[in-house]
Amino acid sequence: MNWLHWSLLSAFFAALTAVLSKIGVEGVNSNLATAARTFFVFLFAAVIASMTSTPSALLQFSKRTWIILIASALATALSWICYFRALQLGEVSRVSPVDKLSVVFAMLLAAWVLREQLTLQHFLGGIFIVIGAMMLAWKSI
């Protein structure tokens, strides 16, 4: 499988996550629900990692790798906390498209931090994503 197959699977599971999370945060503290979900994500990821690598491989990570992974984990935690609260307050069909503005933010950050080249195709695609998210976020047009 190539990157596109994995990306499509990621999108499907993200969609399933949104619907299941909306149901899961009903009547509970969204931060506590995020923590519980994160615990089970950790367990599942640990099982997969143990099947595909050895724990000693962690010792090969550089200090830079650890710092970047910790920063990424903090960003993920903040994203999930905000996402669960948004799901608790809003409709999945409106929250999820706005959350997907992360695609546009990722392109911009990749250009700035990673020096990736953005083309007219990126610009137009980003504009369509923003317009689509805005259309879906508003109750009526």
Side-chain angles (χ1 to χ4, degrees), residues 2-35:
N2 65 26
W3 68 267
L4 182 58
H5 296 111
W6 287 108
S7 297
L8 290 170
L9 284 171
S10 174
F12 170 76
F13 287 121
L16 186 58
T17 296
V19 172
L20 293 174
S21 296
K22 175 68 175 177
I23 297 166
V25 296
E26 284 181 26
V28 300
N29 179 290
S30 63
N31 294 328
L32 187 57
T34 302

PDB file of all heavy atoms in Angstrom, residues 2-35:
ATOM      1  N   ASN A   2       0.451   2.251  -0.731  1.00  0.00           N
ATOM      2  CA  ASN A   2       1.221   3.485  -0.788  1.00  0.00           C
ATOM      3  C   ASN A   2       0.604   4.554   0.124  1.00  0.00           C
ATOM      4  O   ASN A   2      -0.373   4.293   0.831  1.00  0.00           O
ATOM      5  CB  ASN A   2       1.350   3.978  -2.238  1.00  0.00           C
ATOM      6  CG  ASN A   2       0.015   4.366  -2.854  1.00  0.00           C
ATOM      7  OD1 ASN A   2      -0.924   4.742  -2.158  1.00  0.00           O
ATOM      8  ND2 ASN A   2      -0.062   4.287  -4.172  1.00  0.00           N
ATOM      9  N   TRP A   3       1.156   5.756   0.067  1.00  0.00           N
ATOM     10  CA  TRP A   3       0.720   6.847   0.951  1.00  0.00           C
ATOM     11  C   TRP A   3      -0.754   7.176   0.769  1.00  0.00           C
ATOM     12  O   TRP A   3      -1.444   7.516   1.736  1.00  0.00           O
ATOM     13  CB  TRP A   3       1.586   8.092   0.740  1.00  0.00           C
ATOM     14  CG  TRP A   3       1.397   8.737  -0.610  1.00  0.00           C
ATOM     15  CD1 TRP A   3       2.129   8.511  -1.739  1.00  0.00           C
ATOM     16  CD2 TRP A   3       0.407   9.698  -0.964  1.00  0.00           C
ATOM     17  NE1 TRP A   3       1.644   9.256  -2.783  1.00  0.00           N
ATOM     18  CE2 TRP A   3       0.581  10.008  -2.328  1.00  0.00           C
ATOM     19  CE3 TRP A   3      -0.619  10.331  -0.277  1.00  0.00           C
ATOM     20  CZ2 TRP A   3      -0.228  10.918  -3.001  1.00  0.00           C
ATOM     21  CZ3 TRP A   3      -1.410  11.235  -0.951  1.00  0.00           C
ATOM     22  CH2 TRP A   3      -1.210  11.522  -2.300  1.00  0.00           C
ATOM     23  N   LEU A   4      -1.264   7.064  -0.455  1.00  0.00           N
ATOM     24  CA  LEU A   4      -2.659   7.410  -0.706  1.00  0.00           C
ATOM     25  C   LEU A   4      -3.608   6.436  -0.004  1.00  0.00           C
ATOM     26  O   LEU A   4      -4.594   6.855   0.601  1.00  0.00           O
ATOM     27  CB  LEU A   4      -2.943   7.460  -2.211  1.00  0.00           C
ATOM     28  CG  LEU A   4      -4.353   7.860  -2.614  1.00  0.00           C
ATOM     29  CD1 LEU A   4      -4.715   9.245  -2.060  1.00  0.00           C
ATOM     30  CD2 LEU A   4      -4.508   7.842  -4.125  1.00  0.00           C
ATOM     31  N   HIS A   5      -3.297   5.156  -0.074  1.00  0.00           N
ATOM     32  CA  HIS A   5      -4.130   4.157   0.613  1.00  0.00           C
ATOM     33  C   HIS A   5      -4.154   4.424   2.113  1.00  0.00           C
ATOM     34  O   HIS A   5      -5.218   4.404   2.743  1.00  0.00           O
ATOM     35  CB  HIS A   5      -3.614   2.740   0.340  1.00  0.00           C
ATOM     36  CG  HIS A   5      -3.703   2.342  -1.088  1.00  0.00           C
ATOM     37  ND1 HIS A   5      -2.588   2.160  -1.871  1.00  0.00           N
ATOM     38  CD2 HIS A   5      -4.765   2.113  -1.879  1.00  0.00           C
ATOM     39  CE1 HIS A   5      -2.964   1.832  -3.089  1.00  0.00           C
ATOM     40  NE2 HIS A   5      -4.291   1.796  -3.125  1.00  0.00           N
ATOM     41  N   TRP A   6      -2.982   4.662   2.689  1.00  0.00           N
ATOM     42  CA  TRP A   6      -2.906   4.938   4.129  1.00  0.00           C
ATOM     43  C   TRP A   6      -3.637   6.228   4.473  1.00  0.00           C
ATOM     44  O   TRP A   6      -4.284   6.325   5.523  1.00  0.00           O
ATOM     45  CB  TRP A   6      -1.446   4.998   4.590  1.00  0.00           C
ATOM     46  CG  TRP A   6      -0.807   3.639   4.636  1.00  0.00           C
ATOM     47  CD1 TRP A   6       0.141   3.149   3.789  1.00  0.00           C
ATOM     48  CD2 TRP A   6      -1.079   2.589   5.565  1.00  0.00           C
ATOM     49  NE1 TRP A   6       0.474   1.861   4.133  1.00  0.00           N
ATOM     50  CE2 TRP A   6      -0.263   1.488   5.229  1.00  0.00           C
ATOM     51  CE3 TRP A   6      -1.934   2.462   6.659  1.00  0.00           C
ATOM     52  CZ2 TRP A   6      -0.270   0.296   5.934  1.00  0.00           C
ATOM     53  CZ3 TRP A   6      -1.943   1.273   7.370  1.00  0.00           C
ATOM     54  CH2 TRP A   6      -1.122   0.206   7.011  1.00  0.00           C
ATOM     55  N   SER A   7      -3.548   7.224   3.601  1.00  0.00           N
ATOM     56  CA  SER A   7      -4.241   8.499   3.841  1.00  0.00           C
ATOM     57  C   SER A   7      -5.753   8.324   3.821  1.00  0.00           C
ATOM     58  O   SER A   7      -6.466   8.914   4.639  1.00  0.00           O
ATOM     59  CB  SER A   7      -3.834   9.541   2.789  1.00  0.00           C
ATOM     60  OG  SER A   7      -2.460   9.824   2.877  1.00  0.00           O
ATOM     61  N   LEU A   8      -6.245   7.535   2.887  1.00  0.00           N
ATOM     62  CA  LEU A   8      -7.686   7.282   2.816  1.00  0.00           C
ATOM     63  C   LEU A   8      -8.169   6.507   4.041  1.00  0.00           C
ATOM     64  O   LEU A   8      -9.242   6.796   4.588  1.00  0.00           O
ATOM     65  CB  LEU A   8      -8.049   6.547   1.524  1.00  0.00           C
ATOM     66  CG  LEU A   8      -7.916   7.374   0.251  1.00  0.00           C
ATOM     67  CD1 LEU A   8      -8.058   6.491  -0.988  1.00  0.00           C
ATOM     68  CD2 LEU A   8      -8.939   8.503   0.232  1.00  0.00           C
ATOM     69  N   LEU A   9      -7.383   5.524   4.483  1.00  0.00           N
ATOM     70  CA  LEU A   9      -7.731   4.803   5.706  1.00  0.00           C
ATOM     71  C   LEU A   9      -7.737   5.751   6.907  1.00  0.00           C
ATOM     72  O   LEU A   9      -8.627   5.696   7.752  1.00  0.00           O
ATOM     73  CB  LEU A   9      -6.761   3.654   5.948  1.00  0.00           C
ATOM     74  CG  LEU A   9      -6.959   2.416   5.078  1.00  0.00           C
ATOM     75  CD1 LEU A   9      -5.801   1.440   5.258  1.00  0.00           C
ATOM     76  CD2 LEU A   9      -8.283   1.740   5.388  1.00  0.00           C
ATOM     77  N   SER A  10      -6.756   6.635   6.957  1.00  0.00           N
ATOM     78  CA  SER A  10      -6.700   7.627   8.035  1.00  0.00           C
ATOM     79  C   SER A  10      -7.949   8.498   8.032  1.00  0.00           C
ATOM     80  O   SER A  10      -8.544   8.756   9.085  1.00  0.00           O
ATOM     81  CB  SER A  10      -5.446   8.499   7.875  1.00  0.00           C
ATOM     82  OG  SER A  10      -5.440   9.544   8.811  1.00  0.00           O
ATOM     83  N   ALA A  11      -8.357   8.948   6.861  1.00  0.00           N
ATOM     84  CA  ALA A  11      -9.550   9.796   6.748  1.00  0.00           C
ATOM     85  C   ALA A  11     -10.796   9.034   7.196  1.00  0.00           C
ATOM     86  O   ALA A  11     -11.648   9.583   7.907  1.00  0.00           O
ATOM     87  CB  ALA A  11      -9.719  10.288   5.314  1.00  0.00           C
ATOM     88  N   PHE A  12     -10.903   7.767   6.792  1.00  0.00           N
ATOM     89  CA  PHE A  12     -12.060   6.968   7.201  1.00  0.00           C
ATOM     90  C   PHE A  12     -12.100   6.812   8.720  1.00  0.00           C
ATOM     91  O   PHE A  12     -13.133   7.025   9.356  1.00  0.00           O
ATOM     92  CB  PHE A  12     -12.050   5.587   6.532  1.00  0.00           C
ATOM     93  CG  PHE A  12     -13.088   4.665   7.111  1.00  0.00           C
ATOM     94  CD1 PHE A  12     -14.423   4.814   6.771  1.00  0.00           C
ATOM     95  CD2 PHE A  12     -12.737   3.681   8.018  1.00  0.00           C
ATOM     96  CE1 PHE A  12     -15.400   3.982   7.325  1.00  0.00           C
ATOM     97  CE2 PHE A  12     -13.697   2.844   8.575  1.00  0.00           C
ATOM     98  CZ  PHE A  12     -15.032   2.996   8.221  1.00  0.00           C
ATOM     99  N   PHE A  13     -10.953   6.448   9.321  1.00  0.00           N
ATOM    100  CA  PHE A  13     -10.927   6.255  10.767  1.00  0.00           C
ATOM    101  C   PHE A  13     -11.118   7.574  11.516  1.00  0.00           C
ATOM    102  O   PHE A  13     -11.711   7.592  12.597  1.00  0.00           O
ATOM    103  CB  PHE A  13      -9.644   5.543  11.202  1.00  0.00           C
ATOM    104  CG  PHE A  13      -9.643   4.081  10.818  1.00  0.00           C
ATOM    105  CD1 PHE A  13      -8.664   3.566   9.996  1.00  0.00           C
ATOM    106  CD2 PHE A  13     -10.639   3.227  11.276  1.00  0.00           C
ATOM    107  CE1 PHE A  13      -8.664   2.232   9.630  1.00  0.00           C
ATOM    108  CE2 PHE A  13     -10.661   1.887  10.915  1.00  0.00           C
ATOM    109  CZ  PHE A  13      -9.661   1.383  10.091  1.00  0.00           C
ATOM    110  N   ALA A  14     -10.663   8.682  10.941  1.00  0.00           N
ATOM    111  CA  ALA A  14     -10.914   9.990  11.559  1.00  0.00           C
ATOM    112  C   ALA A  14     -12.411  10.291  11.539  1.00  0.00           C
ATOM    113  O   ALA A  14     -12.953  10.829  12.516  1.00  0.00           O
ATOM    114  CB  ALA A  14     -10.131  11.087  10.837  1.00  0.00           C
ATOM    115  N   ALA A  15     -13.076   9.957  10.451  1.00  0.00           N
ATOM    116  CA  ALA A  15     -14.526  10.168  10.375  1.00  0.00           C
ATOM    117  C   ALA A  15     -15.247   9.293  11.401  1.00  0.00           C
ATOM    118  O   ALA A  15     -16.159   9.757  12.103  1.00  0.00           O
ATOM    119  CB  ALA A  15     -15.031   9.852   8.967  1.00  0.00           C
ATOM    120  N   LEU A  16     -14.842   8.040  11.508  1.00  0.00           N
ATOM    121  CA  LEU A  16     -15.432   7.143  12.488  1.00  0.00           C
ATOM    122  C   LEU A  16     -15.167   7.665  13.906  1.00  0.00           C
ATOM    123  O   LEU A  16     -16.055   7.634  14.762  1.00  0.00           O
ATOM    124  CB  LEU A  16     -14.842   5.737  12.312  1.00  0.00           C
ATOM    125  CG  LEU A  16     -15.433   4.617  13.162  1.00  0.00           C
ATOM    126  CD1 LEU A  16     -16.939   4.467  12.915  1.00  0.00           C
ATOM    127  CD2 LEU A  16     -14.707   3.306  12.860  1.00  0.00           C
ATOM    128  N   THR A  17     -13.975   8.184  14.128  1.00  0.00           N
ATOM    129  CA  THR A  17     -13.622   8.771  15.426  1.00  0.00           C
ATOM    130  C   THR A  17     -14.561   9.913  15.777  1.00  0.00           C
ATOM    131  O   THR A  17     -15.018  10.023  16.921  1.00  0.00           O
ATOM    132  CB  THR A  17     -12.169   9.292  15.394  1.00  0.00           C
ATOM    133  OG1 THR A  17     -11.296   8.185  15.205  1.00  0.00           O
ATOM    134  CG2 THR A  17     -11.806  10.012  16.670  1.00  0.00           C
ATOM    135  N   ALA A  18     -14.853  10.763  14.812  1.00  0.00           N
ATOM    136  CA  ALA A  18     -15.722  11.917  15.076  1.00  0.00           C
ATOM    137  C   ALA A  18     -17.100  11.471  15.549  1.00  0.00           C
ATOM    138  O   ALA A  18     -17.623  11.984  16.543  1.00  0.00           O
ATOM    139  CB  ALA A  18     -15.839  12.780  13.820  1.00  0.00           C
ATOM    140  N   VAL A  19     -17.675  10.521  14.856  1.00  0.00           N
ATOM    141  CA  VAL A  19     -19.026  10.066  15.202  1.00  0.00           C
ATOM    142  C   VAL A  19     -19.020   9.345  16.549  1.00  0.00           C
ATOM    143  O   VAL A  19     -19.862   9.620  17.423  1.00  0.00           O
ATOM    144  CB  VAL A  19     -19.600   9.171  14.086  1.00  0.00           C
ATOM    145  CG1 VAL A  19     -20.915   8.543  14.510  1.00  0.00           C
ATOM    146  CG2 VAL A  19     -19.779   9.986  12.804  1.00  0.00           C
ATOM    147  N   LEU A  20     -18.069   8.448  16.746  1.00  0.00           N
ATOM    148  CA  LEU A  20     -18.003   7.721  18.014  1.00  0.00           C
ATOM    149  C   LEU A  20     -17.686   8.661  19.185  1.00  0.00           C
ATOM    150  O   LEU A  20     -18.237   8.507  20.276  1.00  0.00           O
ATOM    151  CB  LEU A  20     -16.958   6.605  17.939  1.00  0.00           C
ATOM    152  CG  LEU A  20     -17.277   5.457  16.976  1.00  0.00           C
ATOM    153  CD1 LEU A  20     -16.094   4.502  16.881  1.00  0.00           C
ATOM    154  CD2 LEU A  20     -18.538   4.733  17.375  1.00  0.00           C
ATOM    155  N   SER A  21     -16.828   9.641  18.957  1.00  0.00           N
ATOM    156  CA  SER A  21     -16.476  10.597  20.011  1.00  0.00           C
ATOM    157  C   SER A  21     -17.664  11.452  20.402  1.00  0.00           C
ATOM    158  O   SER A  21     -17.864  11.748  21.589  1.00  0.00           O
ATOM    159  CB  SER A  21     -15.314  11.486  19.559  1.00  0.00           C
ATOM    160  OG  SER A  21     -14.159  10.713  19.350  1.00  0.00           O
ATOM    161  N   LYS A  22     -18.449  11.876  19.436  1.00  0.00           N
ATOM    162  CA  LYS A  22     -19.645  12.661  19.722  1.00  0.00           C
ATOM    163  C   LYS A  22     -20.566  11.890  20.655  1.00  0.00           C
ATOM    164  O   LYS A  22     -21.083  12.438  21.631  1.00  0.00           O
ATOM    165  CB  LYS A  22     -20.365  13.029  18.418  1.00  0.00           C
ATOM    166  CG  LYS A  22     -21.693  13.742  18.597  1.00  0.00           C
ATOM    167  CD  LYS A  22     -21.527  15.127  19.175  1.00  0.00           C
ATOM    168  CE  LYS A  22     -22.870  15.846  19.230  1.00  0.00           C
ATOM    169  NZ  LYS A  22     -22.755  17.148  19.839  1.00  0.00           N
ATOM    170  N   ILE A  23     -20.747  10.614  20.367  1.00  0.00           N
ATOM    171  CA  ILE A  23     -21.585   9.778  21.221  1.00  0.00           C
ATOM    172  C   ILE A  23     -20.930   9.614  22.595  1.00  0.00           C
ATOM    173  O   ILE A  23     -21.593   9.687  23.631  1.00  0.00           O
ATOM    174  CB  ILE A  23     -21.827   8.398  20.566  1.00  0.00           C
ATOM    175  CG1 ILE A  23     -22.597   8.558  19.249  1.00  0.00           C
ATOM    176  CG2 ILE A  23     -22.558   7.454  21.517  1.00  0.00           C
ATOM    177  CD1 ILE A  23     -22.589   7.317  18.361  1.00  0.00           C
ATOM    178  N   GLY A  24     -19.604   9.454  22.614  1.00  0.00           N
ATOM    179  CA  GLY A  24     -18.884   9.194  23.852  1.00  0.00           C
ATOM    180  C   GLY A  24     -18.784  10.364  24.810  1.00  0.00           C
ATOM    181  O   GLY A  24     -18.588  10.160  26.008  1.00  0.00           O
ATOM    182  N   VAL A  25     -18.923  11.600  24.322  1.00  0.00           N
ATOM    183  CA  VAL A  25     -18.791  12.756  25.226  1.00  0.00           C
ATOM    184  C   VAL A  25     -20.129  13.227  25.783  1.00  0.00           C
ATOM    185  O   VAL A  25     -20.156  14.177  26.561  1.00  0.00           O
ATOM    186  CB  VAL A  25     -18.053  13.953  24.566  1.00  0.00           C
ATOM    187  CG1 VAL A  25     -16.630  13.585  24.230  1.00  0.00           C
ATOM    188  CG2 VAL A  25     -18.793  14.478  23.346  1.00  0.00           C
ATOM    189  N   GLU A  26     -21.199  12.560  25.406  1.00  0.00           N
ATOM    190  CA  GLU A  26     -22.511  12.962  25.915  1.00  0.00           C
ATOM    191  C   GLU A  26     -22.564  12.799  27.429  1.00  0.00           C
ATOM    192  O   GLU A  26     -22.367  11.701  27.951  1.00  0.00           O
ATOM    193  CB  GLU A  26     -23.617  12.125  25.266  1.00  0.00           C
ATOM    194  CG  GLU A  26     -23.932  12.517  23.847  1.00  0.00           C
ATOM    195  CD  GLU A  26     -25.058  11.680  23.262  1.00  0.00           C
ATOM    196  OE1 GLU A  26     -25.900  11.162  24.028  1.00  0.00           O
ATOM    197  OE2 GLU A  26     -25.078  11.528  22.036  1.00  0.00           O
ATOM    198  N   GLY A  27     -22.795  13.879  28.129  1.00  0.00           N
ATOM    199  CA  GLY A  27     -23.020  13.843  29.565  1.00  0.00           C
ATOM    200  C   GLY A  27     -21.786  13.617  30.424  1.00  0.00           C
ATOM    201  O   GLY A  27     -21.920  13.316  31.600  1.00  0.00           O
ATOM    202  N   VAL A  28     -20.600  13.718  29.846  1.00  0.00           N
ATOM    203  CA  VAL A  28     -19.377  13.561  30.635  1.00  0.00           C
ATOM    204  C   VAL A  28     -18.458  14.750  30.399  1.00  0.00           C
ATOM    205  O   VAL A  28     -18.615  15.501  29.432  1.00  0.00           O
ATOM    206  CB  VAL A  28     -18.633  12.248  30.299  1.00  0.00           C
ATOM    207  CG1 VAL A  28     -19.500  11.034  30.575  1.00  0.00           C
ATOM    208  CG2 VAL A  28     -18.156  12.233  28.855  1.00  0.00           C
ATOM    209  N   ASN A  29     -17.475  14.913  31.269  1.00  0.00           N
ATOM    210  CA  ASN A  29     -16.481  15.963  31.094  1.00  0.00           C
ATOM    211  C   ASN A  29     -15.641  15.639  29.859  1.00  0.00           C
ATOM    212  O   ASN A  29     -15.058  14.553  29.769  1.00  0.00           O
ATOM    213  CB  ASN A  29     -15.604  16.035  32.352  1.00  0.00           C
ATOM    214  CG  ASN A  29     -14.526  17.087  32.243  1.00  0.00           C
ATOM    215  OD1 ASN A  29     -13.582  16.941  31.474  1.00  0.00           O
ATOM    216  ND2 ASN A  29     -14.673  18.137  33.021  1.00  0.00           N
ATOM    217  N   SER A  30     -15.582  16.562  28.912  1.00  0.00           N
ATOM    218  CA  SER A  30     -14.883  16.287  27.653  1.00  0.00           C
ATOM    219  C   SER A  30     -13.386  16.074  27.861  1.00  0.00           C
ATOM    220  O   SER A  30     -12.765  15.297  27.136  1.00  0.00           O
ATOM    221  CB  SER A  30     -15.143  17.408  26.641  1.00  0.00           C
ATOM    222  OG  SER A  30     -14.631  18.637  27.109  1.00  0.00           O
ATOM    223  N   ASN A  31     -12.793  16.751  28.848  1.00  0.00           N
ATOM    224  CA  ASN A  31     -11.367  16.557  29.118  1.00  0.00           C
ATOM    225  C   ASN A  31     -11.092  15.165  29.677  1.00  0.00           C
ATOM    226  O   ASN A  31     -10.101  14.521  29.320  1.00  0.00           O
ATOM    227  CB  ASN A  31     -10.844  17.622  30.086  1.00  0.00           C
ATOM    228  CG  ASN A  31     -10.880  19.003  29.462  1.00  0.00           C
ATOM    229  OD1 ASN A  31     -10.713  19.162  28.260  1.00  0.00           O
ATOM    230  ND2 ASN A  31     -11.121  19.999  30.282  1.00  0.00           N
ATOM    231  N   LEU A  32     -11.972  14.693  30.542  1.00  0.00           N
ATOM    232  CA  LEU A  32     -11.826  13.343  31.091  1.00  0.00           C
ATOM    233  C   LEU A  32     -12.028  12.304  29.987  1.00  0.00           C
ATOM    234  O   LEU A  32     -11.308  11.295  29.929  1.00  0.00           O
ATOM    235  CB  LEU A  32     -12.823  13.129  32.232  1.00  0.00           C
ATOM    236  CG  LEU A  32     -12.671  11.832  33.019  1.00  0.00           C
ATOM    237  CD1 LEU A  32     -11.276  11.710  33.619  1.00  0.00           C
ATOM    238  CD2 LEU A  32     -13.741  11.765  34.108  1.00  0.00           C
ATOM    239  N   ALA A  33     -12.987  12.552  29.097  1.00  0.00           N
ATOM    240  CA  ALA A  33     -13.206  11.644  27.968  1.00  0.00           C
ATOM    241  C   ALA A  33     -11.969  11.606  27.068  1.00  0.00           C
ATOM    242  O   ALA A  33     -11.572  10.536  26.587  1.00  0.00           O
ATOM    243  CB  ALA A  33     -14.435  12.082  27.173  1.00  0.00           C
ATOM    244  N   THR A  34     -11.346  12.762  26.856  1.00  0.00           N
ATOM    245  CA  THR A  34     -10.125  12.819  26.053  1.00  0.00           C
ATOM    246  C   THR A  34      -9.020  12.002  26.712  1.00  0.00           C
ATOM    247  O   THR A  34      -8.302  11.254  26.038  1.00  0.00           O
ATOM    248  CB  THR A  34      -9.660  14.275  25.863  1.00  0.00           C
ATOM    249  OG1 THR A  34     -10.702  15.020  25.246  1.00  0.00           O
ATOM    250  CG2 THR A  34      -8.412  14.351  25.007  1.00  0.00           C
ATOM    251  N   ALA A  35      -8.880  12.132  28.024  1.00  0.00           N
ATOM    252  CA  ALA A  35      -7.851  11.371  28.748  1.00  0.00           C
ATOM    253  C   ALA A  35      -8.102   9.871  28.640  1.00  0.00           C
ATOM    254  O   ALA A  35      -7.164   9.087  28.403  1.00  0.00           O
ATOM    255  CB  ALA A  35      -7.803  11.811  30.211  1.00  0.00           C
TER     256      ALA A  35
END
